[in-house]
């Protein structure tokens, strides 16, 4: 395997720095929210992980289309990397939301439209890995993955839009709320922590995708050698 | 009679729980990538050495 490129080494260092800054802004710089108290600080990482989680699912769908068009296995590797990293981030989003909900809504979980669609999205992508592992032939597996992520990718915009389409108790952060919804308002310092968290998680996401792509390349090489050895 | 909320409620424990959870999952995921990478490199070395052995011409008795 190729040694870690200099660009990735730099990105690793940048990732650690932006994560540390984002944690500082969320935990110490942003003021304490008066109604919810300290737990509101998980909101910055909740949104950051949700953003890259849903972004990755959309990217995986695009990579799926690119694979179906070009039949280039690089797109399959890209799709797997995007889905795996996003599934981890989206799992964190759901749990952080649940931790926030306990003091805010007096329950860990409720079948609100946003929470339900988020849970379904996460389950769709956990199933993706389980089903993928059952297919041995690389090209067939890649074709299945491409079609699956293309269909599964629909769940990402649905999850994002659901609080704007249905009556829900989930607060609206981006865009305008309808009459029955709670709109989360932020002070200037809160906005700094919020937008920096979005930036930081985008950097972390790119770094992790890069590492996962290298891992996929290694997996592919080992798999082809194993196939040759068994022939 | 209404009770006015003068101070923010004490939800510090939930915040710690949230950030602890985030840290544990991220560390576990990075560790899993490291372990998978190490195991694959080991597999690759083994397979390459087997291939090299097979490629060697067999000695005549």
């Amino acid at each position: 395997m190729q040694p870690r490129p200099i660009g990735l080494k730099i990105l690793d260092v940048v990732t650690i720095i932006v994560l540390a800054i984002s944690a500082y802004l969320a935990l110490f710089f942003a003021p304490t929210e008066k109604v919810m108290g300290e737990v509101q600080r998980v909101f910055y990482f909740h949104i950051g992980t949700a953003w890259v989680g849903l972004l990755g699912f959309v990217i995986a769908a695009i990579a799926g289309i690119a694979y179906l068009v070009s039949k280039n296995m690089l797109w399959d590797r890209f799709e797997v990397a995007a889905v795996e990293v996003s599934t981890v981030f989206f799992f964190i989003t759901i749990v952080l939301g649940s931790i926030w909900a306990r003091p805010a809504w007096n329950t860990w979980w409720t079948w609100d439209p946003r929470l339900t669609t988020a849970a379904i999205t996460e389950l769709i992508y956990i199933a993706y890995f389980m089903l993928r592992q059952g297919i041995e032939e690389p090209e067939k597996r890649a074709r299945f993955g491409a079609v699956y992520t293309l269909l599964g990718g629909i769940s990402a915009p649905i999850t994002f839009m659901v609080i704007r389409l249905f009556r829900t108790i989930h607060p609206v952060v981006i865009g305008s709320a309808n009459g029955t919804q709670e709109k989360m308002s932020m002070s200037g310092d809160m906005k700094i922590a919020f937008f920096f968290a979005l930036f930081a998680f985008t950097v972390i996401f790119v770094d992790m995708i890069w590492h996962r792509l290298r891992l996929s390349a290694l997996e592919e090489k080992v798999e082809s050698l194993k196939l040759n050895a068994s022939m | 009679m209404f009770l006015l909320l003068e101070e923010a409620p004490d939800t510090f424990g939930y915040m710690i729980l949230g950030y602890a959870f985030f840290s544990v999952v991220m560390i576990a995921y990075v560790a899993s990538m490291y372990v998978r990478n190490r195991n694959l490199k080991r597999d690759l070395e083994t397979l390459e050495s087997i291939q090299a052995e097979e490629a060697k011409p067999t000695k005549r008795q």
Side-chain angles (χ1 to χ4, degrees):
Chain A
M1 193 189 184
Q2 297 287 317
R4 203 157 42 123
I6 187 78
L8 184 56
K9 283 180 185 169
I10 293 167
L11 190 61
D12 286 343
V13 175
V14 172
T15 295
I16 293 166
I17 293 169
V18 293
L19 180 62
I21 295 171
S22 187
Y24 167 76
L25 292 175
L27 293 170
F28 304 106
F29 178 78
T32 306
E33 211 267 348
K34 287 231 170 78
V35 180
M36 288 176 268
E38 300 286 354
V39 74
Q40 186 270 341
R41 293 180 191 278
V42 302
F43 152 84
Y44 304 106
F45 276 31
H46 172 70
I47 299 287
T49 52
W51 152 241
V52 289
L54 294 176
L55 175 72
F57 296 143
V58 173
I59 288 172
I62 295 166
I65 296 168
Y67 173 78
L68 291 172
V69 172
S70 67
K71 302 288 178 204
N72 186 342
M73 288 302 274
L74 179 72
W75 290 113
D76 180 60
R77 290 211 292 261
F78 199 71
E79 173 201 297
V80 172
V83 172
E84 187 182 290
V85 173
S86 290
T87 305
V88 172
F89 277 128
F90 209 59
F91 176 62
I92 294 172
T93 305
I94 293 171
V95 176
L96 288 186
S98 177
I99 290 168
W100 174 84
R102 181 66 185 94
W105 298 340
N106 206 28
T107 180
W108 293 102
W109 187 264
T110 176
W111 294 104
D112 174 81
R114 166 54 74 81
L115 276 69
T116 306
T117 51
I120 290 168
T121 301
E122 183 70 2
L123 290 172
I124 285 171
Y125 289 99
I126 289 171
Y128 165 84
F129 286 105
M130 293 164 82
L131 295 167
R132 228 184 120 91
Q133 277 186 339
I135 305 167
E136 291 218 349
E137 197 187 317
E139 279 170 16
K140 201 174 170 186
R141 188 170 57 212
R143 204 164 53 244
F144 160 79
V147 175
Y148 192 99
T149 49
L150 186 55
L151 296 174
I154 298 166
S155 66
I158 290 175
T159 304
F160 179 76
M161 289 302 294
V162 77
I163 54 172
R164 289 153 185 89
L165 301 174
F166 295 97
R167 181 188 280 266
T168 169
I169 56 171
H170 192 284
V172 174
V173 180
I174 300 161
S176 56
N178 64 36
T180 59
Q181 284 173 317
E182 186 188 343
K183 173 89 175 89
M184 194 171 267
S185 56
M186 288 185 279
S187 69
D189 289 348
M190 282 177 171
K191 280 180 186 163
I192 291 170
F194 170 73
F195 286 111
F196 193 85
L198 291 183
F199 165 71
F201 277 96
T202 309
V203 174
I204 298 164
F205 178 73
V206 173
D207 185 55
M208 287 193 153
I209 292 275
W210 196 340
H211 278 286
R212 187 61 185 82
L213 274 172
R214 282 166 55 80
L215 193 67
S216 288
L218 197 57
E219 279 171 352
E220 215 168 82
K221 202 172 177 184
V222 169
E223 196 174 32
S224 71
L225 278 174
K226 277 181 181 170
L227 276 171
N228 286 343
S230 65
M231 276 178 185
Chain B
M1 186 181 158
F2 296 99
L3 287 172
L4 293 174
L5 205 65
E6 289 292 325
E7 280 183 25
D10 181 16
T11 54
F12 184 76
Y14 290 105
M15 183 198 77
I16 295 296
L17 180 64
Y19 280 94
F21 177 80
F22 170 81
S23 307
V24 167
V25 174
M26 290 307 284
I27 290 167
Y29 183 57
V30 171
S32 95
M33 275 222 244
Y34 172 77
V35 170
R36 281 185 285 171
N37 190 45
R38 193 191 58 191
N39 292 345
L40 283 166
K41 275 182 180 168
R42 211 176 281 167
D43 287 354
L44 191 65
E45 277 173 21
T46 311
L47 288 163
E48 279 174 346
S49 68
I50 290 169
Q51 260 192 347
E53 282 290 320
E54 283 175 349
K56 273 184 193 171
T58 48
K59 283 181 185 172
R60 286 188 181 177
Q61 296 292 316

